[in-house]
Amino acid sequence: MHATEVGSALDGLEDEPLLMPVTRALDWTALHKLTQSPAAAAQLAPIRRTAAVRRGTRMIKFLTGRQLGGHLRGWPISGFCYRAFDVAHLRTPADLAILSGGSPDADGGVVFAIRWRAVDPWDYEVPLAGAYDGLVAMPPHDRLGSPVIGTGFTPSGRHIVPEFVTRDLAELPVPANTSLVAYTGDGTEVTLYTYLPEQRAWSRMYGPQWRHLLPDTIAADQEYFPTSTPLTRYVGRYRDNVYEAIVDPPGEFRVAARTRAARYPLDALARRIPSATWRDAPCTVVREEGDWLRLRLSRPDGDQVARLGAHCVERGLYEAWAPAAEVTDPREDDHWYEL
């Protein structure tokens, strides 16, 4: 269609789709080949920029059964993720296997996912060569899941899927109305749990007919899963005082309180990120246990992984335990969003 008609054709869509120029010289097949070639990153940049995150964008991360259990116990959101708009056509476990980082057969032919709305575009980055050269060059024996190409697109033999990472590979607190879902062999989507931020708990949403979907490590008849408080969290300013915040994008940001009358709308909102440096490597802190800190590398590469003894816990995420006494510059960084 003519360029002047594109705006009206996209009216009513919640998110803008990935846009690409189709010509006789550059058809869909040729573009797909470019997305799988690191050398084509610069050529693809104008196309990749059309897939952008904005406040309220629906995001999704596909999970294994083990990761599903981790989120029910309080794991925040982190690592590689996608706009739900870009993967809406992928419904079956066979199609989603490359995105989940595991084999559907290992979880009974089911793929799980966590789905949420983005609080701010600042929280997400495109894993391009240059900024994430360490991940692109990571040797196969030091990584889990598919390789990072560096073009901003996920490795796939059939599909063109833009991918994102949480900024600096850090953790994001879970927003209100986040859901944990399952995709069955026939493409059925089942909402398993919804997050209740005031109670810091996941509430069960599925009926008895879907209990067989869950891994054996999760009690299928349990209706309520209280979670631990992560180190990273949202905070907000109300009348010159700072409180813990609850976010429900795109427009509801309020003081965290159990009673509705005390849930005041915030004047300003920030994400508090625990950070540190260990042996010259920038890290975020994901756990504290006594005199030890669990650190996640913000810009992992092969040298850091070998030097720090870090392990790949999932695609792109490398963590290690460090004595707190050896960690320098421990701090909590507050990034204030523009509301």
Side-chain angles (χ1 to χ4, degrees):
M1 63 173 60
H2 192 269
T4 58
E5 300 176 22
V6 171
S8 59
L10 301 181
D11 287 346
L13 294 179
E14 187 176 64
D15 287 303
E16 294 86 355
L18 177 75
L19 300 179
M20 56 168 279
V22 179
T23 66
R24 289 186 176 91
L26 184 65
D27 58 10
W28 183 264
T29 302
L31 180 64
H32 177 268
K33 290 181 180 179
L34 289 177
T35 65
Q36 306 301 299
S37 172
Q43 183 179 351
L44 291 169
I47 298 173
R48 181 60 184 80
R49 282 195 294 268
T50 65
V53 175
R54 60 185 180 183
R55 181 161 293 158
T57 294
R58 292 183 185 272
M59 304 297 293
I60 192 168
K61 176 182 178 180
F62 296 96
L63 312 171
T64 63
R66 182 189 69 84
Q67 292 170 324
L68 175 74
H71 282 288
L72 286 176
R73 292 189 295 272
W75 287 7
I77 299 164
S78 61
F80 281 77
C81 54
Y82 310 88
R83 299 191 310 171
F85 188 97
D86 296 319
V87 295
H89 62 296
L90 305 176
R91 303 282 296 191
T92 65
D95 284 335
L96 294 170
I98 189 67
L99 306 180
S100 67
S103 169
D105 294 336
D107 293 311
V110 182
V111 167
F112 304 102
I114 182 168
R115 189 169 53 202
W116 71 98
R117 285 189 180 270
V119 174
D120 194 88
W122 184 87
D123 290 331
Y124 304 90
E125 294 180 307
V126 180
L128 295 173
Y132 285 92
D133 274 343
L135 287 183
V136 175
M138 196 69 69
H141 58 79
D142 281 337
R143 68 172 187 246
L144 292 176
S146 54
V148 179
I149 300 177
T151 60
F153 295 90
T154 196
S156 173
R158 296 173 50 200
H159 305 288
I160 298 179
V161 180
E163 62 184 3
F164 299 86
V165 292
T166 54
R167 180 175 290 271
D168 294 330
L169 302 172
E171 296 179 329
L172 300 178
V174 180
N177 295 313
T178 295
S179 57
L180 291 168
V181 299
Y183 294 92
T184 65
D186 62 359
T188 300
E189 179 185 292
V190 181
T191 300
L192 301 174
Y193 303 92
T194 296
Y195 186 65
L196 307 175
E198 289 88 356
Q199 291 78 25
R200 289 197 180 94
W202 293 94
S203 179
R204 194 184 75 183
M205 303 297 292
Y206 62 91
Q209 73 273 26
W210 299 115
R211 291 184 181 180
H212 67 281
L213 299 178
L214 297 182
D216 294 337
T217 54
I218 298 174
D221 57 348
Q222 187 172 336
E223 298 186 359
Y224 196 73
F225 285 82
T227 65
S228 57
T229 303
L231 296 181
T232 182
R233 57 195 184 277
Y234 293 113
V235 296
R237 187 179 294 118
Y238 175 73
R239 293 186 178 179
D240 297 326
N241 292 315
V242 176
Y243 301 92
E244 188 171 349
I246 287 177
V247 302
D248 190 3
E252 188 172 348
F253 309 108
R254 47 191 168 81
V255 174
R258 290 186 178 270
T259 59
R260 186 173 297 275
R263 296 171 190 170
Y264 306 112
L266 294 170
D267 302 319
L269 175 70
R271 178 159 67 93
R272 183 161 290 172
I273 311 163
S275 305
T277 302
W278 185 39
R279 298 178 183 174
D280 299 324
C283 306
T284 55
V285 183
V286 297
R287 201 185 318 164
E288 297 177 338
E289 290 192 9
D291 295 330
W292 292 81
L293 299 177
R294 182 73 169 179
L295 302 179
R296 177 177 297 170
L297 302 182
S298 299
R299 287 293 187 272
D301 58 37
D303 175 67
Q304 288 183 358
V305 169
R307 181 162 50 87
L308 304 180
H311 297 279
C312 188
V313 295
E314 65 178 70
R315 184 181 180 222
L317 303 186
Y318 292 81
E319 297 179 359
W321 284 104
E326 292 185 10
V327 172
T328 60
D329 193 26
R331 64 196 184 278
E332 288 187 325
D333 299 323
D334 288 350
H335 174 78
W336 293 92
Y337 302 111
E338 294 184 11
L339 295 183

